[in-house]
Amino acid sequence: MTSFRLSSGGLVSRAKPLAFTFDGRTMRGFEGDTLAAAMLANDQMLVGRSFKYHRPRGIVTAGSSEPNALVTIGSGGRAEPNTRATVAEIYQGMVATSQNRWPSLKFDIGALNSLLSPFLGAGFYYKTFMWPSAFWEKLYEPLIRRAAGLGRASFEADPDRYEKAWAHCDLLIVGAGPAGLMAALTAGRAGLRVILADEDFRLGGSLLSEAVAIGDQPASEFASSVIAELASLPSVTLMPRTTVFGWYDDMVFGAVEGVQKHVSVPSSDRPVERLWRIVAKRAILATGAEERPLVFGGNDRPGVMMAGAVRTYLNRHAVAVGKRVAIFTNGGSGYRAARDLAAQGIEIAAIIDGRAASTNEAPAGVRVMRGGSVVATRGRHRIEALIAERSGYDETIACDALAMSGGWSPVIQLACQRGGKPVWSEDRQAFLAPDVGPQLRMAGAAAGEESIAVCMRHGRDQARAALADLGVSVPLVVIPGVEGETDGSFSPLWYVPGARDKAFVDFQNDVHVKDFGLAQREGFGHIEHTKRYTTAGMATDQGKLGNVNAIGIVAGMGGVSPADLGTTTFRPFYTPVSFGALAGAEVAERAKPVRRSPLHEWAKKNGAVFVESGLWHRSAWFSLPGEKTWRESVDREVLNVRANVGLCDVSTLGKIEVFGKDAAEFLNRIYSNAMLRLPVGKARYGLMLREDGVVFDDGTVSRLGEDHFVVTTTTAYAGEAMSHMEFAAQTFWPELDVRFVSVSDQWAQMSLAGPRARDVMSQLVEDDISNEAFPFLGVREVALKGGVRARLFRISFSGELAYELAVPAGYGEAVADALMEAGSKHGICPYGVEALNVLRIEKGHVTHSELDGRTTADDVGLGRMVSGQKPDFIGKRLSTRFGLTAADRTQLVGLKPVDRAKELKAGAHLLKEGAKPSTVNDQGHITSACHSPVLGHSIALAMLKSGRERFGEKVVVWDGLRGEEFQAEVCSPVFVDPQNRKLHL
Amino acid sequence: MRYSAFSIVKQALSGNRNWAPAWREPQPKAHYDVIIVGGGAHGLATAYYLAKEFSTANIAVLEKSYIGSGNAGRNTTIIRSNYMLPGNSAFYELSLKLWEGLERELNYNAMVSQRGMVYLIHSDSQRDAMARAGNAMLMNGSDAELLDREQVRRLLPYLNYDHARFPILGAFVQRRAGTVRHDAVVWGYARAADSRGVDIIQDCEVTAIRRQDGLVTGVETSKGFIGCNKLALATAGNTSTVGRMAGLDLPIESHVLQAFVSEGLKPLIDHVIIYGTGGHFYISQSDKGGLVFGADLDGYSSYAQRGNLAAVESTMADGVALIPGLSRVRALRAWGGIMDMTMDGSPIIDRTPVDNLYLNGGWCYGGFKATPASGFCFAHLIARNEPHPVARLLRLDRFERGFPLDEGGKGPQPNLQ
Amino acid sequence: MASLIKCPHCGVRPREEFSVRGDASVVRPSPAASDEEWHRYVHIRENPRGPYREHWQHAAGCRRWLVVHRNNVTHEVYDVMDAATVAKEVAQ
Amino acid sequence: MSLSLQNRHALEGHISGFSSFSNANHLSIVRGVAVISILVQPQRAEDARRALATIAESSARSCGPFEWLIVSETRSADSLLQEAISLDAASVDQSDGRVVMRIAGPDVRRILGKCVAVDLHPDSFAEGYSANLLIARIGANLARLAGDCFEIVVDRSNAVWLFEELVARGREFDLSAGFVG
């Protein structure tokens, strides 16, 4: 038993014991413990194995920078690999498991890598495994991949929920330590909207780990009283368990709140994590400082810990990390640890101070070795002794823990995420945040300040300054005095010479000092090259502990200052953020919004099978009992439309109502064909081009009045077409009086198609819709029997006598029911988009399968729709470019397989007979294909080079992807009723 | 110094103290036959092939920062050649073939890993488009396969089959596609070019291009004037800025694309997986264990090399929608690269109106996979003054003449490409 | 600007409410302009580093097209105007 | 053929699992609301804004600088369209194309804070204010009717989605839901 729980003290709830397991062993802790604290209380120092050499590793820190104590928490769909035990809050029944070891943590085969370490220096893999080349994927790489990585993720479904929210405030304060609390109090008392966020589950920051007194209270009680006051202020929001991970443009901060990460069984009414987008007018980073490890031989042995962490475990969790603790320091922090340990009766083996002299005082009776250094440590799974060296003499000192401190690095990551580079301070021997403007200020230790008293004042003053920017002046918060603080200054010591073992800089990635030397020798001296070549700073802690040491070491090797070397770039995320939190509720079927047609319920009760079409669910086909395949249903629907009549939901088409005295002029410029003189009461097929002359979208334009139109777009392009029209109206021709609004949702629209369509429609409509009164391309408002007003369009996509009927959406289902009833004696059937597609292919009508963003109007046989007469329309000028009018462009044709049993498939390419398949010989491709139940064989639309001249030619359909090659005959793309007789019935 | 298992052992026995620098750090000469601006993967590959295949001596690569500091080190490391249009397909296929021999070519293990790419299909129209592309690839001598839903399920059982907003109907597969360790490509080409005498000059920013009588005579740099007979630009992310120094008008708009890496995990995802309809997301796992993933451009002009949170969120959401098991995996780091988006989504390797000035740019987000072919074809163009056959359609004047290479069919709107 | 945009009509809104079209400095030529001018309008972009004018639409808000004048290196926004207002000014 | 055509509300059949009592936080789906779009020429916007505020028994919801929705629970769409004629405005009935919801209760801002990015603090989103915005990833019009009461006018095709989102986001606060009117 070396590390243990003290019999009293700490900020844990001894009345609330919690049981958990680590690698199957049951342990006990208290509410208020982190997993690391509870493991230490159970004498579990060994927690993991390192990445490359599989060296045994212990807990190093007491916070989010932990490189070693990564465990998997939970199991099944809740398994969370790489979780830092130093921040995970324990709960009853928590299951924690160590990682990257086999077969067990204590006996890990991978540790053999340590023996090979001379061969495994930085970048060794770039220099070997090259022969034979096939062995890379088959042998070397799988071995490397299996050895690499840390925890194991589960593919089981996550049973928990996530969500996102926005928050807004005048002042965001990140970090609830001494500076953050005083900043919050300053702004909160003045009634400003304050958000105080801290990654810890308990607010108070370093005050929770301190043994000093503030005013007449212990530091932690002082923190509690401030927090209680803040909680009572209505404009202050306290957000514990909330990590601000990113600073984005416009003062938006990304933060993730652990809502139910600390409970045994999360409630399904709440998320486990919540992503916050916090919009702040001003922000203060009171994020504290990170203690730097010392880089000495054997500094990775379990039991070697940060001095500050030793104090946190001692003072906050009442856990002593050892019974005989040695201290290696180059500043005041080591002495603070010694003082607090001694106060709890823990033996101090020695204080080894890298400095020759200092003003720090050791506790009475404790030996101080000034100007000494640690050059090696001993012990198998835990430190048992260290070897100190001074003036050339070695001394072995027995200890069961070693607290180290190499000084402090302000936590400035967030301030540097938007391009600002850290600034080296000779004075503080640390990188400080750059001046990023008045919106974001650093406070307290994050600004390089040292003592608690100074940090508290700095927090207050920075809040006052931030509020002054906002034009708010606030009274001074009176800050009580701090008793018992000692000098915390330090001298930098980048690495300790004379190491007898590997001296690690990046613990997790196993990067040691010699790796930097090698990188230098090989030319990777730029700090970004050094990072990428050695992988220092690329582990899950992103170099929080090691980067500044790495910079100091590399700068030293190059004989320059850290200021000259600079840092690598800080980027989000400050600490890793789960996919779940960032995805929020946008998962599974709710990954994207679902739009429903007003005829959705009608389709459903008629047996529709739905298909995703953009955000819509559309009816694909309507299955009847006894139909075994979708083809059976579709063939029946098509034949029924051609022979009798069918009803199809086309509500998803974009519908735009256009008004204004210049509406006709505007549409004339938007469409490539003439719209100016479209008569009232008439519809016209319209083609829109992009400005580069390629077809953009098609639809119908109907004139309802002199200055009033309704246009339709395809379902897929409804949004884009609307934006395109708005762009044209607002930026090209703002002088035109044209106004438009989407009415897509107002109308349920149905296509009634087939030779019996009029017989059916006339039963519902009061008006005369005979062929004479209402010919092809007629448009009018009609009254339905039953009193509903509707719009009737005589337009056809199927090539049959057809109407589109638009009724107010709420009546859609009732009207569709009525049409079905009226049609029952005429053999009506509902049909879906699959049948619609067959009908249009048979008729040679194009969709976005043909209008694929590369085709011109002429390519698809619609060249006549590009007006040569109009002075201007979108796409006119560039449509005449040489390449868009070249004679060998592909053109729309029809195809029939010579062997009628063959099935044409979209995506197949076309070759001349006898030609080898090659890019040069490629003649085109099939854009749309289907079985034509009318013709009784497969047909296709295709784009074929100079296709319109080649009707009757036989070409080879080449589909190597699906192993097909057969002949087809080129024909007109109109397979059914080429004279359009049926449209005019 | 040749790299091999033997050299590793030998060096280790002498304490790894005798490794030679991977490249020299020369001072710039007064004049070079060819100056390549841009020490990214393309620039270095160009220099290497110029020296090796086209016997050009006296070459310099000028890099304003450290080599590989631009997009070469900011991508998602995917290589593939699933391009449909003549002009792109042969070019990217050449690139894939060069990747396949890269390690022996360079004596540097860039970890070319042909793990296979699985591009998921979520609609009939997408399948048709994939089939068209796949057949175009097969015609061009590349590899492509179509899988149905059950075949995909057997290959990638962890995708979302039962609760998907957009059900998986099948997949397009290119087995020879995969990933490459991006930094190693830069270092491998740099080392190989250096060994053939190419001067790689870092921290040397070009500030002006000097011209006389319509020809480039050299460049002003942060290390002084350097003369040249031919000047070649390979400055992805800064193509317009550098091009303007020579008066080039370019069909390019620069955008930011974010990419991400997760915490290291034991082997989880063995392929490159791409999700492109209904959402957008692509992912693979590095040899080190991190999941490397990304999605769409942020959508606005930017030179900031960092992105916004909205794009991060949509990327992650699409990731979880596709692979529900990612839910509890944590993203470690996000970064942004500057994509020089052209008006048709395809790159430019061409001569310019200035006779001895050559342009390589407009790589959109397809630059990394193109590296070897880009270098090879650009070197060909510079040395022979005529385009390499597989790059002959990647011309600068194709927009004006009406021959765009618009794989996506999005038209001249760069942020949609 | 990449997180929030201040729409002149609707106030501060998240980036998700907007769609972006591209460079707002190019102006659609007259029908009488040369082929070269039309080509440049559709294809050629100055693509500067620094101050930049870009067309954004407040698609999920007022649906107005806006000219966002901003810096594409720092992402600072200088001002946002209704695009029709700008177009009318340019026309004059 | 004689017909009796029934109008079906978009959320008919989608509201289940709630008791007939409303909780403190409640989502009401309002039936039978007349909604019309009003579009005016830019130069007439100011006049129109003033005139719209005076239309009896209705509220004007701002959609953009020159566009509004007029919403009324008591008047017919036809009578509202008549008013538009006197304003020289283009107008079109959207009553069937929009669904009107009201969400109210002490936690309404916290629920809506999960769905909208704009600051709903009364200082920035005051009573009577309305605007088009993204809510739960779809576009809709949001208006503040009172301190803790908001009204949402949403496209019919998105109504089921939005309803389900609001209910899910409100679970933490015992949000109940039901039709009114």
Side-chain angles (χ1 to χ4, degrees), chain A residues 940-957:
Chain A
L941 300 178
M943 299 301 294
L944 176 67
K945 281 190 178 175
S946 312
R948 284 196 292 271
E949 302 164 5
R950 296 168 68 174
F951 291 176
E953 182 181 326
K954 295 214 173 38
V955 293
V956 173
V957 173

PDB file of all heavy atoms in Angstrom, chain A residues 940-957:
ATOM      1  N   ALA A 940     -34.236   2.897 -73.644  1.00  0.00           N
ATOM      2  CA  ALA A 940     -33.372   3.825 -72.919  1.00  0.00           C
ATOM      3  C   ALA A 940     -33.297   5.157 -73.637  1.00  0.00           C
ATOM      4  O   ALA A 940     -33.506   5.250 -74.857  1.00  0.00           O
ATOM      5  CB  ALA A 940     -31.967   3.235 -72.778  1.00  0.00           C
ATOM      6  N   LEU A 941     -32.985   6.171 -72.855  1.00  0.00           N
ATOM      7  CA  LEU A 941     -32.551   7.442 -73.406  1.00  0.00           C
ATOM      8  C   LEU A 941     -31.039   7.492 -73.228  1.00  0.00           C
ATOM      9  O   LEU A 941     -30.522   7.023 -72.217  1.00  0.00           O
ATOM     10  CB  LEU A 941     -33.206   8.618 -72.687  1.00  0.00           C
ATOM     11  CG  LEU A 941     -34.740   8.675 -72.746  1.00  0.00           C
ATOM     12  CD1 LEU A 941     -35.250   9.867 -71.946  1.00  0.00           C
ATOM     13  CD2 LEU A 941     -35.217   8.751 -74.192  1.00  0.00           C
ATOM     14  N   ALA A 942     -30.371   8.031 -74.237  1.00  0.00           N
ATOM     15  CA  ALA A 942     -28.916   8.062 -74.175  1.00  0.00           C
ATOM     16  C   ALA A 942     -28.401   9.339 -74.796  1.00  0.00           C
ATOM     17  O   ALA A 942     -29.077   9.979 -75.616  1.00  0.00           O
ATOM     18  CB  ALA A 942     -28.333   6.851 -74.908  1.00  0.00           C
ATOM     19  N   MET A 943     -27.193   9.703 -74.370  1.00  0.00           N
ATOM     20  CA  MET A 943     -26.483  10.807 -75.011  1.00  0.00           C
ATOM     21  C   MET A 943     -25.420  10.163 -75.902  1.00  0.00           C
ATOM     22  O   MET A 943     -24.547   9.447 -75.416  1.00  0.00           O
ATOM     23  CB  MET A 943     -25.829  11.703 -73.959  1.00  0.00           C
ATOM     24  CG  MET A 943     -26.800  12.352 -72.973  1.00  0.00           C
ATOM     25  SD  MET A 943     -28.076  13.392 -73.725  1.00  0.00           S
ATOM     26  CE  MET A 943     -27.077  14.722 -74.417  1.00  0.00           C
ATOM     27  N   LEU A 944     -25.525  10.433 -77.215  1.00  0.00           N
ATOM     28  CA  LEU A 944     -24.659   9.778 -78.187  1.00  0.00           C
ATOM     29  C   LEU A 944     -24.030  10.845 -79.079  1.00  0.00           C
ATOM     30  O   LEU A 944     -24.718  11.777 -79.510  1.00  0.00           O
ATOM     31  CB  LEU A 944     -25.501   8.805 -79.035  1.00  0.00           C
ATOM     32  CG  LEU A 944     -24.791   8.083 -80.170  1.00  0.00           C
ATOM     33  CD1 LEU A 944     -23.753   7.091 -79.631  1.00  0.00           C
ATOM     34  CD2 LEU A 944     -25.823   7.347 -81.054  1.00  0.00           C
ATOM     35  N   LYS A 945     -22.769  10.684 -79.344  1.00  0.00           N
ATOM     36  CA  LYS A 945     -22.077  11.661 -80.191  1.00  0.00           C
ATOM     37  C   LYS A 945     -22.812  11.825 -81.516  1.00  0.00           C
ATOM     38  O   LYS A 945     -23.102  10.820 -82.192  1.00  0.00           O
ATOM     39  CB  LYS A 945     -20.635  11.225 -80.450  1.00  0.00           C
ATOM     40  CG  LYS A 945     -19.732  11.529 -79.279  1.00  0.00           C
ATOM     41  CD  LYS A 945     -18.267  11.324 -79.588  1.00  0.00           C
ATOM     42  CE  LYS A 945     -17.454  11.703 -78.357  1.00  0.00           C
ATOM     43  NZ  LYS A 945     -16.028  11.417 -78.523  1.00  0.00           N
ATOM     44  N   SER A 946     -23.132  13.069 -81.862  1.00  0.00           N
ATOM     45  CA  SER A 946     -23.878  13.391 -83.095  1.00  0.00           C
ATOM     46  C   SER A 946     -25.091  12.487 -83.251  1.00  0.00           C
ATOM     47  O   SER A 946     -25.446  12.072 -84.364  1.00  0.00           O
ATOM     48  CB  SER A 946     -22.974  13.255 -84.333  1.00  0.00           C
ATOM     49  OG  SER A 946     -21.760  13.913 -84.115  1.00  0.00           O
ATOM     50  N   GLY A 947     -25.733  12.187 -82.154  1.00  0.00           N
ATOM     51  CA  GLY A 947     -26.753  11.141 -82.105  1.00  0.00           C
ATOM     52  C   GLY A 947     -27.921  11.333 -83.051  1.00  0.00           C
ATOM     53  O   GLY A 947     -28.450  10.354 -83.586  1.00  0.00           O
ATOM     54  N   ARG A 948     -28.333  12.555 -83.251  1.00  0.00           N
ATOM     55  CA  ARG A 948     -29.545  12.758 -84.068  1.00  0.00           C
ATOM     56  C   ARG A 948     -29.345  12.357 -85.522  1.00  0.00           C
ATOM     57  O   ARG A 948     -30.318  12.147 -86.243  1.00  0.00           O
ATOM     58  CB  ARG A 948     -30.000  14.221 -83.958  1.00  0.00           C
ATOM     59  CG  ARG A 948     -30.684  14.536 -82.638  1.00  0.00           C
ATOM     60  CD  ARG A 948     -31.469  15.835 -82.667  1.00  0.00           C
ATOM     61  NE  ARG A 948     -30.631  17.018 -82.772  1.00  0.00           N
ATOM     62  CZ  ARG A 948     -30.118  17.675 -81.715  1.00  0.00           C
ATOM     63  NH1 ARG A 948     -30.365  17.244 -80.488  1.00  0.00           N
ATOM     64  NH2 ARG A 948     -29.377  18.747 -81.887  1.00  0.00           N
ATOM     65  N   GLU A 949     -28.068  12.259 -85.948  1.00  0.00           N
ATOM     66  CA  GLU A 949     -27.809  11.819 -87.325  1.00  0.00           C
ATOM     67  C   GLU A 949     -27.724  10.304 -87.413  1.00  0.00           C
ATOM     68  O   GLU A 949     -27.473   9.770 -88.481  1.00  0.00           O
ATOM     69  CB  GLU A 949     -26.452  12.368 -87.810  1.00  0.00           C
ATOM     70  CG  GLU A 949     -26.340  13.866 -87.777  1.00  0.00           C
ATOM     71  CD  GLU A 949     -24.884  14.320 -87.875  1.00  0.00           C
ATOM     72  OE1 GLU A 949     -23.998  13.453 -88.069  1.00  0.00           O
ATOM     73  OE2 GLU A 949     -24.656  15.527 -87.735  1.00  0.00           O
ATOM     74  N   ARG A 950     -27.878   9.629 -86.288  1.00  0.00           N
ATOM     75  CA  ARG A 950     -27.513   8.216 -86.295  1.00  0.00           C
ATOM     76  C   ARG A 950     -28.693   7.286 -86.016  1.00  0.00           C
ATOM     77  O   ARG A 950     -28.491   6.116 -85.674  1.00  0.00           O
ATOM     78  CB  ARG A 950     -26.383   7.985 -85.274  1.00  0.00           C
ATOM     79  CG  ARG A 950     -25.127   8.742 -85.662  1.00  0.00           C
ATOM     80  CD  ARG A 950     -24.095   8.775 -84.573  1.00  0.00           C
ATOM     81  NE  ARG A 950     -23.512   7.470 -84.299  1.00  0.00           N
ATOM     82  CZ  ARG A 950     -22.497   7.263 -83.449  1.00  0.00           C
ATOM     83  NH1 ARG A 950     -21.962   8.297 -82.800  1.00  0.00           N
ATOM     84  NH2 ARG A 950     -22.041   6.057 -83.248  1.00  0.00           N
ATOM     85  N   PHE A 951     -29.925   7.822 -86.146  1.00  0.00           N
ATOM     86  CA  PHE A 951     -31.089   6.948 -85.946  1.00  0.00           C
ATOM     87  C   PHE A 951     -30.980   5.761 -86.893  1.00  0.00           C
ATOM     88  O   PHE A 951     -30.670   5.923 -88.071  1.00  0.00           O
ATOM     89  CB  PHE A 951     -32.403   7.701 -86.217  1.00  0.00           C
ATOM     90  CG  PHE A 951     -32.721   8.773 -85.193  1.00  0.00           C
ATOM     91  CD1 PHE A 951     -33.829   9.598 -85.344  1.00  0.00           C
ATOM     92  CD2 PHE A 951     -31.919   8.962 -84.069  1.00  0.00           C
ATOM     93  CE1 PHE A 951     -34.122  10.586 -84.431  1.00  0.00           C
ATOM     94  CE2 PHE A 951     -32.210   9.947 -83.141  1.00  0.00           C
ATOM     95  CZ  PHE A 951     -33.301  10.758 -83.326  1.00  0.00           C
ATOM     96  N   GLY A 952     -31.236   4.600 -86.397  1.00  0.00           N
ATOM     97  CA  GLY A 952     -31.161   3.395 -87.220  1.00  0.00           C
ATOM     98  C   GLY A 952     -29.833   2.665 -87.116  1.00  0.00           C
ATOM     99  O   GLY A 952     -29.742   1.479 -87.400  1.00  0.00           O
ATOM    100  N   GLU A 953     -28.790   3.373 -86.663  1.00  0.00           N
ATOM    101  CA  GLU A 953     -27.469   2.735 -86.531  1.00  0.00           C
ATOM    102  C   GLU A 953     -27.479   1.764 -85.355  1.00  0.00           C
ATOM    103  O   GLU A 953     -28.176   1.959 -84.366  1.00  0.00           O
ATOM    104  CB  GLU A 953     -26.419   3.832 -86.298  1.00  0.00           C
ATOM    105  CG  GLU A 953     -25.001   3.320 -86.185  1.00  0.00           C
ATOM    106  CD  GLU A 953     -23.999   4.467 -85.930  1.00  0.00           C
ATOM    107  OE1 GLU A 953     -24.221   5.582 -86.461  1.00  0.00           O
ATOM    108  OE2 GLU A 953     -23.029   4.235 -85.188  1.00  0.00           O
ATOM    109  N   LYS A 954     -26.678   0.726 -85.490  1.00  0.00           N
ATOM    110  CA  LYS A 954     -26.516  -0.190 -84.364  1.00  0.00           C
ATOM    111  C   LYS A 954     -25.247   0.182 -83.603  1.00  0.00           C
ATOM    112  O   LYS A 954     -24.198   0.392 -84.197  1.00  0.00           O
ATOM    113  CB  LYS A 954     -26.430  -1.635 -84.856  1.00  0.00           C
ATOM    114  CG  LYS A 954     -27.718  -2.096 -85.516  1.00  0.00           C
ATOM    115  CD  LYS A 954     -27.979  -3.540 -85.265  1.00  0.00           C
ATOM    116  CE  LYS A 954     -29.337  -3.993 -85.756  1.00  0.00           C
ATOM    117  NZ  LYS A 954     -29.789  -3.400 -87.034  1.00  0.00           N
ATOM    118  N   VAL A 955     -25.387   0.292 -82.312  1.00  0.00           N
ATOM    119  CA  VAL A 955     -24.218   0.583 -81.480  1.00  0.00           C
ATOM    120  C   VAL A 955     -24.084  -0.535 -80.441  1.00  0.00           C
ATOM    121  O   VAL A 955     -25.012  -1.319 -80.226  1.00  0.00           O
ATOM    122  CB  VAL A 955     -24.351   1.943 -80.752  1.00  0.00           C
ATOM    123  CG1 VAL A 955     -24.318   3.087 -81.732  1.00  0.00           C
ATOM    124  CG2 VAL A 955     -25.609   1.975 -79.889  1.00  0.00           C
ATOM    125  N   VAL A 956     -22.900  -0.573 -79.828  1.00  0.00           N
ATOM    126  CA  VAL A 956     -22.676  -1.567 -78.775  1.00  0.00           C
ATOM    127  C   VAL A 956     -22.885  -0.901 -77.413  1.00  0.00           C
ATOM    128  O   VAL A 956     -22.312   0.155 -77.141  1.00  0.00           O
ATOM    129  CB  VAL A 956     -21.252  -2.152 -78.861  1.00  0.00           C
ATOM    130  CG1 VAL A 956     -20.965  -3.043 -77.658  1.00  0.00           C
ATOM    131  CG2 VAL A 956     -21.092  -2.935 -80.157  1.00  0.00           C
ATOM    132  N   VAL A 957     -23.726  -1.522 -76.633  1.00  0.00           N
ATOM    133  CA  VAL A 957     -23.912  -1.064 -75.251  1.00  0.00           C
ATOM    134  C   VAL A 957     -22.860  -1.781 -74.412  1.00  0.00           C
ATOM    135  O   VAL A 957     -22.839  -3.010 -74.338  1.00  0.00           O
ATOM    136  CB  VAL A 957     -25.327  -1.412 -74.753  1.00  0.00           C
ATOM    137  CG1 VAL A 957     -25.455  -1.103 -73.274  1.00  0.00           C
ATOM    138  CG2 VAL A 957     -26.364  -0.661 -75.569  1.00  0.00           C
TER     139      VAL A 957
END
